[in-house]
Amino acid sequence: MINKKIEEAINSQINAEMFSAYLYKSMSAYFSDINLTGMAAWMNVQAQEEMTHALKFYDYIIERGGRVRLMAIEEPAFDWSSPIEVFKASYEHEQYITGRINDLADLAIKEKDHATGIMLQWFVTEQVEEEANVSEIVSKMEMIGDAKHGIYMLDKELGGRGAVSSEEE
Ligand code: FEO
């Protein structure tokens, strides 16, 4: 049986992951609106990944005999001043999520919940990848600046990101 403090913290994380999916869908809509369809597709895949993260936590609570509680999802940002601002916002958001995962891992140690600690290891590793991916895109965009050809090439490259496979979940 899962302890109530851990159950509450994971329920809150389900909400944070669903918000992440909502945020990335909003970013995808922004890119669609300015015809950067590759970046829009990249953000769509990112949103799908966030839903798999939410469902991992959801399934875990149930597996441990706890009760899932779904809460209201906050409205995400709607507009950004430029494509690079979107990826910068995404990078900041991932750093925030990493902080939350670390807090959860600390709580699992404090509550001596080793099963939750082991489950969270996957997320600790995943956050390293999430931050690295977005940070790389921000660096590329800084190199490109306002060069239209560069943006076009990067949009093409990002559009090649495949859909989420079961191994990535
Ligand atoms: Fe679920 Fe992007 O962290």
Side-chain angles (χ1 to χ4, degrees):
M1 191 71 189
I2 197 162
N3 115 11
K4 282 287 153 198
K5 269 190 206 162
I6 301 268
E7 182 189 272
E8 225 172 79
I10 297 180
N11 270 319
S12 166
Q13 191 59 28
I14 291 174
N15 186 268
E17 299 290 348
M18 289 201 173
F19 171 78
S20 304
Y22 223 38
L23 174 66
Y24 290 131
K25 287 302 277 187
S26 185
M27 290 174 169
S28 181
Y30 165 84
F31 283 126
S32 291
D33 191 50
I34 57 171
N35 299 313
L36 288 171
T37 53
M39 293 183 194
W42 192 95
M43 284 296 174
N44 262 333
V45 175
Q46 191 66 22
Q48 276 176 24
E49 262 197 40
E50 299 303 351
M51 280 308 289
T52 68
H53 296 171
L55 294 177
K56 259 184 198 289
F57 283 118
Y58 178 110
D59 290 343
Y60 179 76
I61 291 182
I62 291 173
E63 207 182 343
R64 293 287 306 278
R67 183 75 169 89
V68 167
R69 185 183 195 106
L70 297 178
M71 291 167 277
I73 302 169
E74 196 190 317
E75 182 178 345
F78 167 73
D79 209 4
W80 290 269
S81 54
S82 64
I84 190 169
E85 290 309 317
V86 182
F87 283 100
K88 278 184 178 168
S90 162
Y91 184 47
E92 259 172 45
H93 182 69
E94 287 307 330
Q95 287 174 301
Y96 162 71
I97 294 292
T98 299
R100 291 191 59 121
I101 297 288
N102 288 340
D103 289 347
L104 268 173
D106 288 345
L107 182 67
I109 291 168
K110 194 167 155 254
E111 297 296 317
K112 298 186 167 44
D113 185 342
H114 302 297
T116 297
I118 289 167
M119 179 275 290
L120 287 169
Q121 289 312 304
W122 185 89
F123 283 96
V124 171
T125 310
E126 174 70 6
Q127 281 312 118
V128 173
E129 196 188 306
E130 294 262 281
E131 283 192 30
N133 288 344
V134 191
S135 156
E136 189 187 315
I137 297 169
V138 170
S139 301
K140 282 184 180 171
M141 290 192 113
E142 276 167 350
M143 266 188 272
I144 291 167
D146 288 334
K148 285 204 167 66
H149 185 69
I151 302 265
Y152 173 79
M153 293 302 286
L154 184 63
D155 186 61
K156 247 185 137 161
E157 181 190 323
L158 295 181
R161 181 182 189 185
V164 182
S165 74
S166 53
E167 274 112 68
E168 280 173 295
E169 282 176 17

